[in-house]
């Protein structure tokens, strides 16, 4: 059995587990691991400017690829900086491995420099967190971490490595190491028959497809089931793209913030809901009395404690989303061949027709620009192969209402945690995971200013993407929520920038900042120039292979449609389509025209 340092064994294990993309910062307590990466090769590392940014990049990579991204950092504050990234990952069921250095084991109790109990700190936001105190435990600990991250409801892990443990020698042979089997619950035949019994006993069924469908790589099975039954599918925010937006059975997102009008209308017309891999998140359901009234629910989720967490379904089943869809498909196909499946064509036709109505006005010509026009132009400028990255704020809500997504893992969003600053570094991770593909990030100015230094990472490592920054110099979502308190308090970011008077009181000059960090940037102030601005951004990203910022100067105040219940969304009268407007149903990109106002 060969003898080697534990860190040399770790690098070989990571490579065999398929975790070969790392984001992080070296430091004294983690340098042994970095030395092993340097000597062995096989793991690509991206140097970040902030450890939190590295954690978000690893998260973005994991979401974009379905693989496990790595976040590396030294002892003490590096680990605590990772906590927000771990929270964002566990909240959305994303496997990601954080590895931290640690002070030597003999001084952990002596308040040594940068010695912190990161295991205890990380446990609430991980599936598994451990400080390895014995060198011989290293291989088994990593095998266990990978198994836990991948099994049942996916999620992140943190392994803390004291420097003396890293430097110790162990007997290890990579040829004798094998990843541990992934363990996921599977829907039984009897359960699948019960689901189909309930579904086919109703006249207007709908499928709610959550992020679990994408985690299970089960989008194809979802579409097949919808087509076999001829019933509509509504993706959640985390499931967006599981069925393409231009599929006739994609009925629109449901929710009180991130939604479409036609999606809510179709849901409210339904009498049966099959939820697969979803959490019944509050921004999806809104008022539960309205959401549940007049319909039966089946809830399928990989995590048993999710069943009944928000409300008790009529039938709850613990299963991997992919296994559930395959089991239900088998029953449906058998019964369809025997003529035992109702004809839902009229119901599905109603839902498809509804997609041609109820659109919000987008074609505003106002200066400063109204945000709705930005998303109209983004739909026209960026193709169906685009992967969008966003996290929180009015920009994300409006984007989810108006943008279009055409496949799984093409909408990358920190949905449950929504940490400001996540978008930029996550986009860098997405670019690492999807080299050569079009990646477009969407931020408000406040989200963009968090972790703005991470743009330099994209410039240094040639990671091109387009970052659309809709700048109203406001904490827009918080300002809108403050209306209930009749205040507008500490939510304005505006000031007279003495170095950029052309900003006209909007404050931060994002173009200068982006250029100073080695990137390219353009500013758009006239809606008629948005198309040209996006085209220029695409050209600059391709030519220079760096992030390109498109700063769009918006009107200071725009209220985005949202409400407390699916039947109580405030549309704001000036943004509703007026008589004579011409909404169009969503059609393939080559045939699509803008909704005119």
């Amino acid at each position: 059995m060969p003898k080697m340092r534990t860190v040399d064994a770790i690098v070989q294990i990571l490579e065999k587990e398929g975790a070969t993309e790392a984001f992080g910062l070296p430091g004294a307590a983690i340098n042994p691991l970095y030395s092993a990466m340097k000597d062995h090769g096989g793991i690509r590392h991206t140097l970040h400017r902030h450890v939190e940014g590295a954690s978000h990049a690893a998260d973005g990579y994991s979401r974009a690829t379905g693989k496990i991204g790595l976040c590396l950092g030294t002892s003490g504050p590096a680990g605590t900086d990772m906590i927000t990234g771990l929270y964002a990952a566990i909240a959305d069921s994303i496997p990601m491995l954080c590895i931290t250095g640690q002070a030597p084991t003999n001084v952990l109790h002596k308040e040594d420099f940068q010695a912190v109990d990161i295991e205890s700190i990380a446990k609430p936001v991980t599936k598994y967190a451990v400080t390895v105190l014995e060198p011989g435990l290293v291989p088994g600990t990593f095998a266990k971490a990978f198994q836990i991250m991948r099994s049942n409801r996916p999620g992140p892990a943190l392994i803390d490595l004291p420097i003396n443990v890293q430097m110790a020698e162990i007997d290890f042979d990579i040829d004798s190491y094998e990843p541990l089997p992934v363990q996921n619950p599977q829907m039984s035949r009897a359960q699948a028959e019960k689901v189909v019994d309930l579904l086919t006993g109703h006249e207007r069924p709908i499928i709610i497809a959550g992020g679990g469908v994408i985690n299970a790589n089960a989008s194809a099975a979802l579409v097949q089931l919808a087509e076999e039954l001829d019933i509509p599918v509504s993706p959640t925010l985390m499931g967006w793209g599981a069925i393409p937006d231009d599929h006739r059975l994609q009925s629109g997102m449901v929710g009180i913030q991130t939604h479409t009008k036609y999606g809510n209308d179709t849901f409210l017309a339904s009498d049966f809901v099959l939820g697969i891999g979803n959490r019944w998140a509050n921004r999806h359901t809104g008022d539960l009395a309205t959401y549940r009234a007049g319909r039966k629910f089946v809830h399928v989720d990989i995590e048993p404690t999710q069943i009944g967490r928000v409300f008790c379904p009529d039938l709850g089943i613990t299963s991997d989303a992919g296994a559930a869809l395959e089991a239900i498909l088998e029953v449906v196909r058998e019964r369809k061949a025997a003529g035992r499946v109702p004809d839902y064509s009229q119901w599905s036709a109603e839902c498809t027709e509804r997609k041609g109505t109820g659109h919000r006005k987008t074609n505003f010509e106002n200066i400063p620009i109204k945000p709705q026009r930005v998303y109209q132009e983004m739909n026209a400028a960026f193709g169906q192969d685009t992967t969008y990255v966003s996290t929180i704020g009015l920009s994300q809500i409006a984007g989810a209402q108006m943008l279009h997504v055409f496949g799984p893992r093409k909408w990358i969003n920190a949905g449950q945690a929504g940490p400001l600053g996540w978008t930029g570094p996550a986009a860098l991770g997405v670019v690492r995971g999807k080299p050569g593909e079009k990646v477009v990030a969407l931020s408000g100015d406040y989200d963009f200013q968090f972790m703005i230094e991470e743009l330099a990472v994209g410039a240094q490592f040639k990671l091109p993407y387009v970052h659309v920054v809709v700048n109203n110099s406001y904490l827009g979502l918080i300002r809108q929520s403050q209306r209930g308190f009749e205040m507008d308090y500490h939510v304005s970011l505006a000031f007279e920038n003495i170095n950029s008077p052309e900003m006209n009181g909007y404050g931060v000059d994002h173009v200068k900042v982006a250029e100073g960090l080695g990137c390219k940037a353009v500013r758009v102030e006239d809606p008629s120039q948005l198309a040209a601005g996006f085209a220029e951004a695409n050209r600059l990203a391709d030519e220079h292979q760096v992030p390109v910022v498109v700063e769009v100067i918006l009107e200071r105040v725009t209220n985005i449609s949202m409400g407390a219940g699916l039947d109580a969304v405030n549309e704001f009268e000036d943004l509703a389509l007026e008589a004579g407007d011409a909404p169009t149903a969503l059609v393939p990109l080559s045939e699509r025209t803008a909704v005119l106002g």
Side-chain angles (χ1 to χ4, degrees):
M1 184 80 69
K3 273 195 174 294
M4 64 182 71
R5 295 180 305 168
T6 62
V7 287
D8 296 309
I10 288 168
V11 170
Q12 294 180 48
I13 290 169
L14 293 174
E15 191 170 6
K16 195 160 189 176
E17 292 279 3
T20 58
E21 198 73 54
F23 308 84
L25 285 76
I30 197 67
N31 272 340
L33 179 59
Y34 274 81
S35 73
M37 291 195 300
K38 174 182 176 294
D39 293 343
H40 182 74
I43 296 177
R44 181 168 60 177
H45 181 270
T46 302
L47 174 65
H48 280 261
R49 299 304 191 266
H50 195 300
V51 184
E52 183 184 336
S55 71
H56 297 329
D59 184 7
Y61 171 84
S62 300
R63 293 172 193 254
T65 64
K67 301 177 182 179
I68 293 179
L70 304 172
C71 176
L72 311 181
T74 191
S75 58
T80 57
D81 283 344
M82 294 177 189
I83 296 301
T84 299
L86 288 165
Y87 166 41
I90 199 168
D92 291 334
S93 308
I94 305 300
M96 173 182 77
L97 178 59
C98 289
I99 303 174
T100 53
Q102 180 59 277
T105 53
N106 65 319
V107 296
L108 289 180
H109 63 294
K110 294 184 177 181
E111 296 185 358
D112 202 56
F113 177 66
Q114 292 190 338
V116 67
D117 185 2
I118 194 63
E119 174 186 334
S120 297
I121 294 170
K123 277 184 174 177
V125 289
T126 57
K127 289 188 72 181
Y128 181 57
V130 61
T131 297
V132 184
L133 300 177
E134 293 292 338
L137 292 174
V138 166
T141 299
F142 274 81
K144 180 179 179 180
F146 278 102
Q147 182 185 47
I148 289 173
M149 285 188 286
R150 291 170 173 147
S151 295
N152 301 306
R153 182 182 180 181
L158 181 141
I159 298 178
D160 186 42
L161 299 170
I163 190 168
N164 61 309
V165 172
Q166 294 179 60
M167 296 293 289
E169 285 196 342
I170 59 172
D171 295 317
F172 181 75
D173 183 358
I174 189 62
D175 292 333
S176 66
Y177 177 94
E178 290 295 335
L180 296 176
V182 174
Q183 302 165 340
N184 286 328
Q186 311 281 308
M187 179 181 285
S188 69
R189 169 74 185 203
Q191 289 173 323
E193 289 179 343
K194 185 66 174 176
V195 171
V196 177
D197 287 344
L198 285 169
L199 188 152
T200 56
H202 290 80
E203 297 179 353
R204 299 179 303 281
I206 186 172
I207 298 172
I208 299 293
V213 174
I214 291 175
N215 280 350
N217 295 315
S219 299
L222 171 72
V223 174
Q224 290 169 20
L225 178 61
E227 291 175 344
E228 289 285 357
L229 289 167
D230 199 10
I231 63 173
V233 177
S234 172
T236 67
L237 183 67
M238 299 310 302
W240 198 9
I243 181 171
D245 272 19
D246 59 352
H247 193 288
R248 67 180 181 85
L249 294 174
Q250 204 275 31
S251 60
M253 202 182 299
V254 173
I256 57 172
Q257 290 185 345
T258 54
H259 69 280
T260 60
K261 290 181 67 178
Y262 55 84
N264 281 358
D265 290 344
T266 287
F267 181 88
L268 291 172
S270 70
D271 63 0
F272 174 87
V273 180
L274 170 58
I276 299 181
N278 64 307
R279 294 188 303 108
W280 309 118
N282 63 303
R283 290 202 299 169
H284 168 80
T285 65
D287 169 44
L288 283 174
T290 300
Y291 190 84
R292 298 180 65 190
R295 52 193 64 86
K296 298 288 187 180
F297 288 86
V298 171
H299 188 198
V300 180
D301 197 87
I302 198 169
E303 171 53 49
T305 63
Q306 287 293 332
I307 309 294
R309 181 184 290 268
V310 178
F311 62 85
C312 289
D314 297 276
L315 174 65
I317 298 172
T318 301
S319 176
D320 168 78
L325 286 164
E326 293 293 348
I328 296 169
L329 255 175
E330 182 179 353
V331 174
V332 166
R333 284 169 173 159
E334 290 177 6
R335 294 193 184 182
K336 191 175 179 181
R340 295 172 55 203
V341 173
D343 180 0
Y344 290 115
S345 58
Q346 183 176 347
W347 162 237
S348 66
E350 291 173 7
C351 298
T352 301
E353 182 180 2
R354 204 174 279 117
K355 293 175 72 174
T357 66
H359 291 265
R360 297 182 174 98
K361 183 175 179 178
T362 60
N363 200 42
F364 293 97
E365 298 181 357
N366 305 53
I367 299 175
I369 299 170
K370 280 188 175 289
Q372 292 80 5
R373 178 65 181 271
V374 180
Y375 308 113
Q376 172 185 311
E377 298 292 345
M378 288 175 69
N379 282 328
F382 304 117
Q384 291 194 20
D385 59 343
T386 299
T387 297
Y388 288 109
V389 185
S390 191
T391 184
I392 193 66
L394 288 185
S395 55
Q396 176 245 21
I397 293 168
Q401 291 179 6
M402 298 173 196
L403 290 176
H404 295 305
V405 174
F406 295 96
R409 304 190 190 276
K410 292 186 179 298
W411 171 255
I412 310 297
N413 182 221
Q416 201 270 358
L420 285 163
W422 185 90
T423 308
L428 296 173
V430 174
V431 174
R432 274 298 198 208
K434 294 188 169 187
E437 296 188 26
K438 174 60 64 180
V439 176
V440 176
L442 171 64
S443 291
D445 46 302
Y446 204 48
D447 172 50
F448 185 63
Q449 287 173 26
F450 275 63
M451 316 219 78
I452 198 169
E453 74 281 353
E454 293 294 297
L455 284 173
V457 177
Q460 179 177 357
F461 290 92
K462 300 296 184 184
L463 302 175
Y465 75 96
V466 174
H467 202 136
V468 180
V469 179
V470 284
N471 182 8
N472 64 353
S473 199
Y474 247 120
L475 281 65
L477 179 57
I478 308 306
R479 177 207 54 76
Q480 185 166 333
S481 70
Q482 284 188 351
R483 296 165 76 239
F485 297 91
E486 297 183 352
M487 68 178 183
D488 186 323
Y489 185 66
H490 277 274
V491 288
S492 174
L493 302 174
F495 63 92
E496 292 294 339
N497 189 331
I498 59 173
N499 298 306
S500 298
E502 66 273 17
M503 290 302 295
N504 295 318
Y506 272 68
V508 174
D509 187 333
H510 299 105
V511 170
K512 286 184 178 178
V513 174
E515 290 176 343
L517 290 167
C519 300
K520 290 290 186 180
V522 296
R523 180 178 293 122
V524 181
E525 300 181 70
D526 185 325
S528 67
Q529 297 303 308
L530 281 166
F534 292 142
E536 176 68 358
N538 283 331
R539 185 190 69 79
L540 289 169
D542 291 342
E543 178 181 348
H544 298 284
Q545 294 294 291
V546 297
V548 179
V549 175
V550 181
E551 181 180 38
V552 182
I553 304 300
L554 299 185
E555 63 182 5
R556 293 295 309 285
V557 173
T558 306
N559 292 314
I560 300 299
S561 301
M562 62 184 76
L566 300 187
D567 61 349
V569 173
N570 188 341
E571 292 296 338
F572 300 103
E573 186 176 352
D574 61 320
L575 302 182
L577 283 171
E578 303 164 357
D581 290 334
T584 56
L586 182 61
V587 295
L589 187 72
S590 59
E591 305 170 22
R592 194 186 319 147
T593 57
V595 176
L596 302 178

